[in-house]
Amino acid sequence: MGKVVMYASVSVDGFIADKHDQPGPLFDWLLSGDVPLDDSGELKVSQTSYDYIRPYWDQIGATIAGRHVFDLTDGWDGKPPGGVAHVVVVTHRPKPEGWDPEAPFHFVDSIKAAVAKAQELAGERIVEVAAGDVGGQVFAAGLVDEVRMDVVPVVFGSGKRYFGSVHAQHLLEDPDVVIQGNRVRHMRYRVRR
């Protein structure tokens, strides 16, 4: 099975969105360079960020997200973001009425079911867990192998926390990657077991 990675862009003070679910300048780094990150041509990053992010994106086999993010994005119009093959949505509600049964989205009712389904779908590829409430629950359950953060130089003061409602102490290894891009610092930590 592939490793489970918790990931998001995050403010210096640990938030992935403001209190109104808006990312503000957290994604400005995705527009701050001259190297296209994907086929859309809309995302352009520095060469340094491209060399770090593109290989990671190419390894993702499935993404886990919560129903809140799914609803905020309108289900990405049935097309997983970033070219990911599958999205597993953690929810206690049924899938939306009229949802395309062929869309590669899978609805489950627990984080353990989400990780199991995502690992089945991803095989040896990475299972990415969106940071926030669901990501924090997966992390607190000891199911995350690695934490990746794209730290953006902004302070929100309040909002949606990277680790959701995790309140207990958890140790990470020293960062094994620290890369400076334009308007972002990419960091990767292994979770201490």
Side-chain angles (χ1 to χ4, degrees):
M1 302 247 178
K3 63 184 164 186
V4 177
V5 178
M6 187 170 169
Y7 176 70
S9 289
V10 60
S11 67
V12 173
D13 57 343
F15 298 100
I16 58 171
D18 67 18
K19 62 185 176 183
H20 304 292
D21 284 318
Q22 298 302 308
L26 289 181
F27 298 129
D28 287 356
W29 69 273
L30 290 164
L31 308 170
S32 70
D34 54 3
V35 180
L37 188 55
D38 63 10
D39 293 337
S40 74
E42 294 176 25
L43 303 178
K44 291 186 178 180
V45 297
S46 68
Q47 185 66 54
T48 302
S49 289
Y50 178 89
D51 292 343
Y52 176 70
I53 295 294
R54 187 71 250 175
Y56 168 70
W57 281 12
D58 290 342
Q59 294 175 52
I60 299 170
T63 295
I64 298 172
R67 180 63 180 260
H68 183 70
V69 170
F70 175 85
D71 289 343
L72 278 175
T73 62
D74 206 17
W76 298 279
D77 294 324
K79 297 176 189 97
V84 173
H86 301 277
V87 174
V88 178
V89 180
V90 181
T91 181
H92 296 294
R93 294 181 279 144
K95 62 178 105 174
E97 264 187 58
W99 184 253
D100 180 0
E102 300 300 314
F105 287 73
H106 311 270
F107 298 83
V108 298
D109 66 357
S110 74
I111 59 164
K112 288 186 179 179
V115 171
K117 183 65 173 176
Q119 286 181 319
E120 172 193 328
L121 294 164
E124 294 300 316
R125 298 170 60 95
I126 288 173
V127 169
E128 179 180 62
V129 181
D133 287 332
V134 167
Q137 291 173 42
V138 175
F139 179 78
L143 301 174
V144 171
D145 300 307
E146 185 176 284
V147 172
R148 285 181 178 238
M149 299 176 157
D150 297 323
V151 182
V152 178
V154 62
V155 174
F156 279 173
S158 66
K160 308 295 179 178
R161 295 171 34 163
Y162 182 94
F163 288 100
S165 60
V166 170
H167 295 292
Q169 178 177 312
H170 297 271
L171 295 176
L172 305 174
E173 297 296 339
D174 289 339
D176 60 341
V177 170
V178 178
I179 296 173
Q180 183 65 48
N182 293 349
R183 302 292 303 154
V184 65
R185 177 163 288 185
H186 307 288
M187 302 179 77
R188 182 176 72 193
Y189 301 86
R190 286 190 177 86
V191 176
R192 189 177 287 183
R193 303 273 184 216

